[in-house]
Amino acid sequence: MDAIRLILTSTRALAGGADAAEMMAEVWQAQALAQAIGSRLAVSGPPELRGEALGLTELAGRGCGVLDPPELDPGELRAAQLTELDDARETLLCLGGLLGEVGIALVGMASAAADETTYWQCMEAIDAADESRDRVVEMLRKLAAREEVVQNGNESSPSGAL
């Protein structure tokens, strides 16, 4: 399934989470999806993104690791459904939005946490989501810089001239 479609599905599911357990499961799903997207970009994305993509993979993995994994059937794991990542820029824009929503949801859950363990899990997951989002922003910056170079290169040489 296309990365953007999976991100939008995660965004809707996160917004529709009814209780804390469901919200935690959706946060975990979003972090796992970010990890899968980072991994895909590290392997087959634009070369200038590969280092940041590896960092995203690591940070999103940390975000999953600090939370208790939800009990999901294999078919419910969105990250495992990732088959296409056609537009890196659009995917990263959507992923940045999702990670922002994850952070907001985690702040709400931390504020309402009934126990210290849940509170600290949320705080660590907030850090991971925030740092993951920073990586996404840096990758978007690198894509914009590459696009600018390409555009300036095409404008400075007359077409057809050698």
Side-chain angles (χ1 to χ4, degrees), residues 104-137:
I104 291 168
L106 285 164
V107 167
M109 288 188 292
S111 298
D115 61 89
E116 197 170 315
T117 300
T118 302
Y119 173 82
W120 285 111
Q121 280 182 326
C122 289
M123 296 308 290
E124 290 181 40
I126 289 167
D127 286 344
D130 188 46
E131 291 177 38
S132 294
R133 191 165 186 268
D134 289 347
R135 293 293 172 125
V136 168
V137 169

Side-chain angles (χ1 to χ4, degrees), residues 17-47:
D19 61 17
E22 190 176 321
M23 292 294 288
M24 283 292 221
E26 291 306 329
V27 165
W28 190 92
Q29 284 261 43
Q31 289 282 24
L33 183 56
Q35 184 179 24
I37 290 169
S39 180
R40 178 71 58 99
L41 286 171
V43 171
S44 60

Side-chain angles (χ1 to χ4, degrees), residues 69-150:
E71 292 183 23
L72 298 170
D73 291 329
E76 293 177 309
L77 180 59
R78 288 187 204 103
Q81 297 172 24
L82 179 64
T83 57
E84 297 175 43
L85 200 155
D86 295 328
D87 185 343
R89 182 182 174 282
E90 188 65 27
T91 298
L92 290 169
L93 284 169
C94 292
L95 182 59
L98 175 60
L99 290 168
E101 292 298 321
V102 163
I104 291 168
L106 285 164
V107 167
M109 288 188 292
S111 298
D115 61 89
E116 197 170 315
T117 300
T118 302
Y119 173 82
W120 285 111
Q121 280 182 326
C122 289
M123 296 308 290
E124 290 181 40
I126 289 167
D127 286 344
D130 188 46
E131 291 177 38
S132 294
R133 191 165 186 268
D134 289 347
R135 293 293 172 125
V136 168
V137 169
E138 182 60 21
M139 285 188 277
L140 285 167
R141 188 195 64 72
K142 286 182 177 187
L143 283 176
R146 179 182 75 162
E147 190 174 301
E148 185 176 320
V149 167
V150 169

